[in-house]
Amino acid sequence: MKATTLPRLRAEAKRQLLNYRRNNSRVYRCASLRAEGGVMIGWVRAIDAARAYFRAANPIKERFMSRLFGLETPLPRGQPVRARMIRLSLELSVSESTLYKWREDIMEVVLYAAIESGLVGLFGLHERADEQPPEQDDKAPVD
């Protein structure tokens, strides 16, 4: 069974979050990239759905998401993640441990949005469903 591990899914979600600004500008730039970038536009839409969810549920968490992953402005290159987290904790008036919990929540919601849109699947069930034809109910075994 070809299973996708949870750490691999989390790494992909993090990579897509960090590439959001670049992918977003590429997707909406020209029609040829929109046609080719089915996966890219899917991730952009999944991240947008997660942002909309957080904007409605907890606007401070959405602002943290935007600032941590650089969704609207570029990330500072020479600054480590820990230093950014400390600065954000001071700006948002929450503890650093809360920010790390929020980061985990953000990753989960983005993964849920990606799974819901069909971009990724757990346990390879999506791939197996595409490969196997549906079974016929006509030929039910007789006891």
Side-chain angles (χ1 to χ4, degrees):
M1 179 165 113
K2 182 180 170 187
T4 306
T5 63
L6 194 55
R8 188 174 292 163
L9 286 175
R10 293 176 56 76
E12 178 65 19
K14 183 178 180 182
R15 187 174 71 81
Q16 293 296 334
L17 277 163
L18 291 172
N19 290 332
Y20 173 81
R21 269 182 0 101
R22 183 176 48 117
N23 291 345
N24 196 21
S25 67
R26 283 182 181 174
V27 164
Y28 296 110
R29 192 176 310 154
C30 63
S32 63
L33 280 176
R34 278 194 300 262
E36 293 175 2
V39 173
M40 191 185 311
I41 198 167
W43 276 103
V44 167
R45 287 180 180 160
I47 293 169
D48 286 340
R51 285 184 78 183
Y53 169 77
F54 284 123
R55 193 175 300 122
N58 190 347
I60 296 172
K61 197 181 283 191
E62 191 268 334
R63 199 167 101 209
F64 168 69
M65 176 184 180
S66 177
R67 298 278 308 275
L68 179 67
F69 294 107
L71 301 182
E72 295 172 357
T73 59
L75 296 174
R77 288 190 173 210
Q79 191 178 34
V81 175
R82 174 135 167 77
R84 249 187 14 250
M85 291 290 271
I86 291 171
R87 181 172 287 146
L88 285 171
S89 72
L90 293 173
E91 289 176 12
L92 299 174
S93 300
V94 293
S95 70
E96 191 178 348
S97 64
T98 301
L99 292 184
Y100 282 106
K101 291 175 187 173
W102 284 3
R103 184 180 68 177
E104 299 304 314
D105 289 345
I106 290 167
M107 299 288 280
E108 285 180 10
V109 170
V110 168
L111 275 176
Y112 296 154
I115 289 170
E116 194 173 75
S117 66
L119 292 170
V120 293
L122 292 175
F123 312 118
L125 296 175
H126 190 274
E127 294 169 358
R128 282 193 289 153
D130 292 341
E131 293 172 1
Q132 295 177 356
E135 295 182 16
Q136 301 289 334
D137 289 335
D138 301 340
K139 301 175 183 175
V142 180
D143 290 332

